[in-house]
Structure formats: structure tokens, C-alpha cells
């Protein structure tokens, strides 16, 4: 480590990066280190998920379950009560009384709690992106997108997953009118015609967000949401129930045995008059222990065969959005389809998509005015789309995890290099570490992970129990 005040650079200032900076700042004595967060957005804490300006995009879980500080479950909800952040949001209250605020409000909450550290200059926000990284002795030289550079003693990779990649079968219409390859491009979504026949590729949470956006802008045409399995994102339980099931005592070593245990627990809950929600909530809470107990081959089987089914039960839509989806299905304007796209071309200004229905050999073709891609993150593209991570990989300081979900880390959250050994001054915070950690997508899990990474950096800097070692 260099002489003088060490610098910790956090690459990415969405929720993961902001939470890591927040907790590290809370741990460190005044003046012990400079924390620099490199994030191109104006505010810290928003990231991709919480920077949306669309009022129809709401948090996917109630405010009472979202917090920046583990163990203080009502931290966000208490902040909402103290501020006027939701004063003009007439639709925030769900039928069961739970609050589902507009998503951007959560970003504002995180930003608000960083202010004292920004004002004291404990945390410094650099509005740029990291284009590349070089070694400079024992330190790192970060080359920023605007041409500037900064030097750091430790790195925290806290970037988000890569955006969806255009499916191979749609490459033939790349750049054509009517194709929306980026579902977060609100300007392109606003351009979708009121009566357009729309194909949405993907049936998860992003698909639900797009449907809510189209509904808000008065779209009245037909929407087909397509995915290989045709699974539709589920909603929340009508009443709050404690998680039910123990999957960590003698955790399963086989994906098949794990699935059997979960199904048995759901059947037990059904006999007691409950549905699947409390069981899947227990699986989520115990997810990291469950995941880490599985051998690598079984982890791969789980991802290959059960991930789609898990995702639609794990990632639930807000009741307000579920009402939109249910109503459009009932009116015949929204249909879910299990099929694979096998090809596409443009004809008469529309995009004709050839599809193979699941379980059938025949092909169907249908022309759409708009095709919107909402498939999941392109995990395999991390080294292509995240040039700073690619630079670390070229130097042997980081590598993809063997599951293909992100970056490999050790139990202390340190990046594992191409040699198979962790590199002590590079840490990974947030969902990019999920292949090594397990369940790491929800706010409670990401918060707890950010706290752990902050504690590891605190220890790496030479502090133990708040005192220099």
C-alpha cells in the first residue's frame, strides 16, 4: 500500500457501489482513506434499476423490505415517512396496504444517506466511467472515459450486469425501424405507436416494466410476450407470511434432491392452507448457503434447467403492475407464448418473426410493428462490454466464474485471477459476484454483501475493531 492516505476506488455507483461506499465510510476513522466512486450518472445510488424516470416503474418489493442497513428493515419506510418523497404518488398503496413507491424514490433515499459523507469529502463522486485499468507498481491507474486518470490502492468492482444482447435470430434486423434492442431506452418506447402490434422478447420483470410503460402511454394494440418456456412473472402473496422451510440443515448436494425438498415443502404448506410464497421466501433467504453447498456440476444443472422457473417466482412484480398485466390478459390484448425465435426479416416496414412453438416442430410467422428485446443480462458479454474488467482479465487479475454469471470471487469477496488465486486488493461487490456467492439480486442480499465487502476492505486497510492494527 502507498504512503499517505490510501485511495479506494469503487467502479460503479449504482446501489451496490453506493452501499459499499456508505458502509466503508461509516467504518473508517475520519481521514483514514479517500473513497472515490466512479459513476457517470449525476447521483449515486440510482444505477440502472433506480434511475428510471417512468412513474409506472415501481419497486418490486414493499418499502418495508428495502433497506440500506441490515437489521433495520423499516429504514427506507421510515425515511419515506420523514420526507415528502411520495406526497404526490396516489398509486403507491397496494390493495393489502403495502407501499410500492416509484423506483427512482429508492435511489433518492440512498443518495440522501450519502450526502454527509460527500459533503465531508470522505466519499468523492467522479462523474465518468472507467475505460481501462493499468498497474502502477502496487497501485492501479484508472483511465476514465473523459481521458482523465486517477490512481488507487484498492479497487471495488460494483458495476451492473451487461445489458441484454440481441438474440442471434434477430441479428438480421439489427438497426431496422421497429426493433427496440434496449428496453431501457424510454425515447424509443415512447415512439411505439398506440395501435402497434408488439412483440416483447422475454417474459420477466423487464418485460413487465415495458408493458406498464406502454399502458401508461395509452397503447391499445396487441402485445405478445414470448420466451422459451412462456413463464410469466408472479406476484406477491396477498398477506404477509413468515418464510417456511429449512434447506440449510444438511443442505442438498444435488439439484434434483433440492427440487424434491422444495416441492415437499410447498405441498406441506398447501396442506396448511398456504401457497408457495413462504417456501420460496425461505429458499431465497437461505439461498447463499444452499448454493455454496452444491458441487459445481450441480450448480450448472440448476442454472441450466431451473433458472427460468426460479426467476419468475423469485422476481415478483409490484401489485400495481400485476393489475395492468392481468387486465390486459383478460381483455385479450396481452398473450404469453412459449416459443423460440428462429429468424426474422423486414417486410413492408414491419418485422416478420419466425417462431417455433415449444414442444412442436412446426413454424409460425407473424409480422409486428415493434419488437422489443427484454431478455436477461448478457453475462457472457462482461469482458466485451465492460472494458475495465476486460483490462483486469488481460492482466490476469480477474476471471469469469465457472457458472458464467459474473466474476469469480473468494470467500472474502476478492476477485480471483487467472492463476486461480485471489488478488488481495480487488474486491467485487453486488450481483457480479453471484456465481460464487449465490442469491445476490435482492436489496437485502446486496446490502448484506456490501456490508461484508466494506468490512473486508476495512480489514485490508489495516483496521481491526475500529483501531489500526
Amino acid at each position: 500500500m502507498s504512503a499517505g492516505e490510501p485511495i479506494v476506488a469503487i467502479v460503479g455507483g449504482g446501489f451496490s457501489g453506493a452501499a459499499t461506499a456508505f458502509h466503508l465510510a461509516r467504518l473508517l476513522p475520519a481521514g483514514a482513506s479517500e473513497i472515490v466512486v466512479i459513476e457517470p450518472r449525476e447521483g449515486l445510488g440510482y444505477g440502472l434499476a433506480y434511475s428510471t424516470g417512468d412513474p409506472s416503474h415501481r419497486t418490486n418489493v414493499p418499502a418495508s423490505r428495502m433497506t440500506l442497513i441490515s437489521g433495520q428493515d423499516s429504514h427506507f419506510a421510515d425515511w419515506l415517512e420523514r420526507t415528502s418523497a411520495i406526497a404526490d404518488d396516489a398509486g403507491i398503496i397496494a390493495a393489502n396496504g403495502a407501499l410500492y413507491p416509484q423506483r427512482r424514490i429508492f435511489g433518492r433515499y440512498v443518495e440522501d444517506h450519502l450526502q454527509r459523507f460527500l459533503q465531508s469529502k470522505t466519499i468523492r463522486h467522479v462523474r465518468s466511467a472507467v475505460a481501462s485499468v493499468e498497474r502502477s507498481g502496487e497501485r492501479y491507474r484508472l483511465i476514465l472515459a473523459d481521458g482523465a486518470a486517477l490512481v488507487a490502492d484498492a479497487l471495488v468492482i460494483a458495476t451492473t450486469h451487461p445489458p441484454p444482447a440481441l438474440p442471434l435470430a434477430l441479428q438480421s434486423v439489427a438497426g431496422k425501424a421497429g426493433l427496440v434492442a434496449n428496453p431501457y431506452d424510454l425515447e424509443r418506447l415512447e415512439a411505439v405507436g398506440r395501435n402497434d402490434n408488439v412483440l416483447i422478447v422475454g417474459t420477466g420483470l423487464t418485460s413487465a416494466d415495458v408493458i406498464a410503460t406502454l399502458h401508461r402511454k395509452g397503447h391499445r394494440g396487441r402485445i405478445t410476450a414470448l420466451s422459451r418456456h412462456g413463464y410469466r412473472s408472479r406476484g406477491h402473496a396477498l398477506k404477509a407470511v413468515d418464510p417456511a422451510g429449512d434447506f440449510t440443515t444438511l443442505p442438498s448436494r444435488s439439484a434434483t434432491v433440492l427440487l424434491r425438498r422444495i416441492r415437499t415443502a410447498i405441498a406441506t404448506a398447501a396442506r396448511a392452507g398456504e401457497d408457495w410464497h413462504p417456501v420460496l421466501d425461505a429458499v431465497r433467504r437461505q439461498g447463499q448457503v444452499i448454493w455454496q453447498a452444491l458441487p459445481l456440476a450441480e450448480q450448472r444443472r440448476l442454472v441450466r434447467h431451473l433458472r427460468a422457473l426460479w426467476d419468475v417466482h423469485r422476481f415478483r412484480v409490484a401489485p400495481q403492475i400485476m393489475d395492468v398485466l392481468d387486465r390486459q390478459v383478460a381483455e385479450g390484448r396481452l398473450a404469453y407464448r412459449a416459443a423460440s425465435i428462429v429468424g426474422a426479416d423486414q417486410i413492408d416496414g414491419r418485422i416478420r418473426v419466425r417462431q417455433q412453438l415449444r414442444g412442436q416442430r412446426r413454424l409460425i410467422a407473424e409480422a409486428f410493428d415493434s419488437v422489443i428485446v427484454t431478455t436477461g443480462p448478457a453475462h457472457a458479454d462482461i469482458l466485451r462490454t465492460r472494458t475495465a474488467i476486460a483490462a483486469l482479465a488481460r492482466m490476469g487479475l480477474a476471471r469469469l466464474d465457472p457458472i458464467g454469471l459474473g466474476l469469480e470471487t473468494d470467500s472474502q469477496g476478492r476477485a480471483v485471477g487467472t492463476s486461480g488465486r485471489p488478488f488481495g486488493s480487488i474486491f467485487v461487490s453486488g450481483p457480479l459476484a453471484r456465481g460464487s456467492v449465490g442469491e445476490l439480486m435482492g436489496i437485502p442480499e446486496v446490502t448484506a454483501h456490501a456490508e461484508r465487502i466494506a468490512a473486508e476492505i476495512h480489514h485490508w486497510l489495516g483496521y481491526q475493531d475500529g483501531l489500526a492494527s
Side-chain angles (χ1 to χ4, degrees), residues 140 154 414-415 421-427 456 460:
Y140 303 95
R414 299 173 298 178
R421 295 190 300 272
F423 206 79
S425 54
I426 303 177
F427 301 84
E456 292 293 344
W460 179 84

Side-chain angles (χ1 to χ4, degrees), residues 398-422:
R399 71 181 185 186
L400 300 179
D401 69 67
I403 309 296
L405 296 178
L407 297 178
E408 185 174 358
T409 67
D410 71 353
S411 59
Q412 280 77 51
R414 299 173 298 178
V416 173
T418 53
S419 67
R421 295 190 300 272

Side-chain angles (χ1 to χ4, degrees), residues 35-156:
I35 303 167
V36 181
V37 183
I38 304 100
E39 165 58 48
R41 293 179 178 85
E42 182 178 358
L44 297 179
Y46 293 90
L48 180 63
Y50 303 107
S51 61
T52 173
D54 192 326
S56 62
H57 293 174
R58 298 189 174 273
T59 60
N60 296 315
V61 295
S64 59
R65 288 169 50 193
M66 302 181 72
T67 180
L68 184 59
I69 303 175
S70 294
Q72 298 185 28
D73 294 348
S74 64
H75 197 255
F76 177 41
D78 292 344
W79 180 86
L80 291 175
E81 284 191 14
R82 294 195 309 270
T83 67
S84 59
I86 57 175
D88 299 327
D89 188 358
I92 188 173
I93 304 177
N96 64 358
L99 302 181
Y100 289 83
Q102 294 171 13
R103 214 171 289 161
R104 187 172 179 82
I105 299 300
F106 185 75
R108 192 185 307 171
Y109 150 79
V110 177
E111 182 183 34
D112 187 47
H113 283 84
L114 288 172
Q115 286 308 306
R116 66 185 173 104
F117 296 118
L118 288 165
Q119 290 168 4
S120 68
K121 296 184 170 37
T122 304
I123 297 174
R124 180 161 64 97
H125 177 197
V126 174
R127 283 197 66 185
S128 188
V130 180
S132 188
V133 181
E134 302 170 352
R135 287 289 276 165
S136 179
E138 293 299 312
R139 309 179 84 192
Y140 303 95
R141 186 168 184 267
L142 281 64
I143 313 301
L144 306 185
D146 57 9
L150 62 88
V151 175
D153 297 280
L155 292 183
V156 181

Side-chain angles (χ1 to χ4, degrees), residues 291-309:
W291 178 258
Q292 292 171 29
L294 291 169
L296 176 60
E298 293 300 304
Q299 291 176 343
R300 286 174 168 154
R301 284 186 66 216
L302 197 68
V303 170
R304 185 167 62 251
H305 298 295
L306 295 176
R307 181 177 169 191
L309 190 60

Side-chain angles (χ1 to χ4, degrees), residues 195-199 219-224 332-335 337 366 368:
N195 297 308
D196 276 6
N197 183 23
V198 175
L199 174 67
H219 179 262
R220 300 295 299 172
R222 179 174 172 78
I223 299 173
T224 302
R333 294 191 293 112
L334 170 62
R337 180 179 296 168
E366 184 176 355
F368 298 92

Side-chain angles (χ1 to χ4, degrees), residues 360-408:
Q360 299 184 28
R361 303 182 71 174
R362 71 185 183 92
L363 301 180
I364 63 171
E366 184 176 355
F368 298 92
D369 302 294
S370 298
V371 175
I372 305 169
V373 179
T374 69
T375 51
H379 301 291
D381 282 353
I382 293 173
L383 299 184
R384 183 180 64 81
T385 61
R386 302 287 183 260
T387 55
I389 298 175
L392 292 174
R394 285 194 299 271
M395 290 186 287
L397 305 181
R399 71 181 185 186
L400 300 179
D401 69 67
I403 309 296
L405 296 178
L407 297 178
E408 185 174 358

